[in-house]
Amino acid sequence: MCGIIGYTGSREAAPILLDGLKRLEYRGYDSAGMALVGAGMLSEIKEVGKVARLEAAFSAAAGIDGSAVCGIAHTRWATHGVPSAVNAHPHCDERYEFAIVHNGIVENHHELRAHLLKKGYHFRSETDSEVIVHLIAEAYEGDLLAATAAAVRQLSGTYGIAVVSSRHPGLIVAARKGSPLVIGLGEGENLIASDIAALLAHTRKVIYLNDGDIAAIRPDSIDLRDVSNVPVEREVAKIDWDAAAAEKGNYPHFMLKEIFEQPETVENAIRGRISLEMGNAILNGLELSPRDLAQISRIVIAGCGSSMHAGMVGEYYFEDIAGISTSVEQAAEFRYRNPIIEPNTLVIPISQSGETADTIAAVREAVGKGALVTALCNVVGSTIAREAGRGVYLHAGPEISVASTKAFSSQVAVLLLMALLLGRNRRLSRSEGCELAREIEQTPELIRSVLAQAEKIREIAKRYAGFDDFFYIGRGCLYPTALEGALKLKEISYVHAEGYHAAELKHGPIALLDERHPVLALANDIPGRDKILGNIQECRARRAPVAAVATVGDREVETLTDDVIFVPACSRFIAPLPTAVALQLFAYYIAVERGCEIDQPRNLAKSVTVE
Ligand code: F6R
């Protein structure tokens, strides 16, 4: 979704802002723009398309002060108004004294626009955001922070905004409600961004703004106020990601890099969290005593997309390993359908970014209903991590590719650790716990052995790259894995792919099967394999090409299917991990064959911060 970066200091702002925008490109956008404040003058430049176009336009532009040391910039993902230079941010007031960039949605923009039009303000764009800059101009009486506060008080909806003014060189005012903003603290310079990926090249010291916060950011100072304009102190967080982690290195795409990082990222997710001796997991972030754990009577998991699929794998874990009744909710449903939450219900919101609007709302609903809430997030200090109050971080490092890969595997690994902990707290014996703990420890190695077959998977993918409709089928923990595999394929290759429980095929979808509808069957040697073999036969009888994921050495699957990707032998609990990695590679190579733009698929955004 939209991205914000702002800089104030002593260096030229434009290169820093353009570099920041490039680091935000992964979020998905359709236009970009920048406003600079130098020598008492405000100038802006905006372009449709990639940041590279904005950069070229900036190099060629006259009348824009390239030596300015303060500015704000934005990548826009169109919601209100088509992608165009006029609709791109920043938006300026009529006299070019103020410029704003905005993430989020101003829900009452129609009323505000009508009010401003009546007062004689003129609008240039079709956006909801433009009202903000006119409201600031209207409220301005010499104090930019006060004017911004007055403007945002009139907004309903969500916003993360940054404001500059020709009347206040060196000052950026930022305000947040519902759309993340983080201040990057430098030496004699400070930055503001919607996402820490844009800050990593400059600093690891950050302050996350809370909803309602407003900040005056100058090169040497940060003045922070809360919603009631009372000065507040916010904790300075240290980010342990480095800038290289957010770069592609020698990989052609972030997605491939992140797929290949998984042995390490899963290792990071489990490191220090397993006791082989006790056959247990150690998850201090949960902040739940054995007594608290014993009282949990139900688990509700909430998430969206891949995070929800990880949650669906977790459902099998919690019920099978710990014997706790578990359900998984699409986070938007959780928010609107008045879920039943009892005092001993544990709600687990899962979110890589920690900023997904529907999952944030689910957290608020759960906290408000008095549930125990413990979040699984990758981004330290993100809204969900903070609002849940307790949780377990994934430690997967920045995930830049829009299609989630390493976050998914880390989520599954952490859910397995949680199930082990809850299982040991209840019905799992020490020796059963030890066996599971040993298996979990070996997961990175299993993933490595799938990665070693990347070339073979690529060859198989090439044979399937011409098809336009796929079915993915699985059973048990491999059912949500099938959903995840299908999601990967559709989002990056624009191929229609549906995941089904293998048993569900006969209840309708099988009507579609013919030689144009390949089926990807997850036929690993775990309980349910024999039934999947039956399903494979049914598909073949309808002339559907069948590719399978199977356990290494399974000749029966090999003879029954057209192609097989072999994964190492492992238990049903571990199987989703190597299998998901194989499916990620399969989707990736199909997208490569089809010439798709892999890291930033059309229409998609990395973090969905609006409903
Ligand atoms: C798919 C994908 C999305 C996200 C979903 C939730 O590859 O990335 O489906 O999983 O938007 O995002 P988070 O986990 O950040 O809440």
Side-chain angles (χ1 to χ4, degrees), residues 426-460:
R426 289 148 193 262
R427 62 185 190 180
L428 216 59
S429 69
R430 180 165 164 179
S431 69
E432 288 168 322
C434 286
E435 197 182 322
L436 183 53
R438 264 196 305 276
E439 277 198 273
I440 299 173
E441 253 219 332
Q442 284 156 16
T443 315
E445 222 24 71
L446 306 188
I447 293 176
R448 228 169 249 126
S449 78
V450 176
L451 296 173
Q453 298 179 65
E455 264 317 302
K456 181 171 177 227
I457 297 173
R458 181 186 194 135
E459 286 310 311
I460 297 175

Side-chain angles (χ1 to χ4, degrees), residues 304-307 350-354 356 359 402-404 411 487-488 491 606 608:
C304 302
S306 295
S307 293
I350 305 183
S351 174
Q352 185 283 130
S353 61
T356 298
T359 316
V402 164
S404 184
Q411 287 163 348
L487 176 62
K488 288 291 86 86
E491 67 186 323
K606 181 64 185 160
V608 183

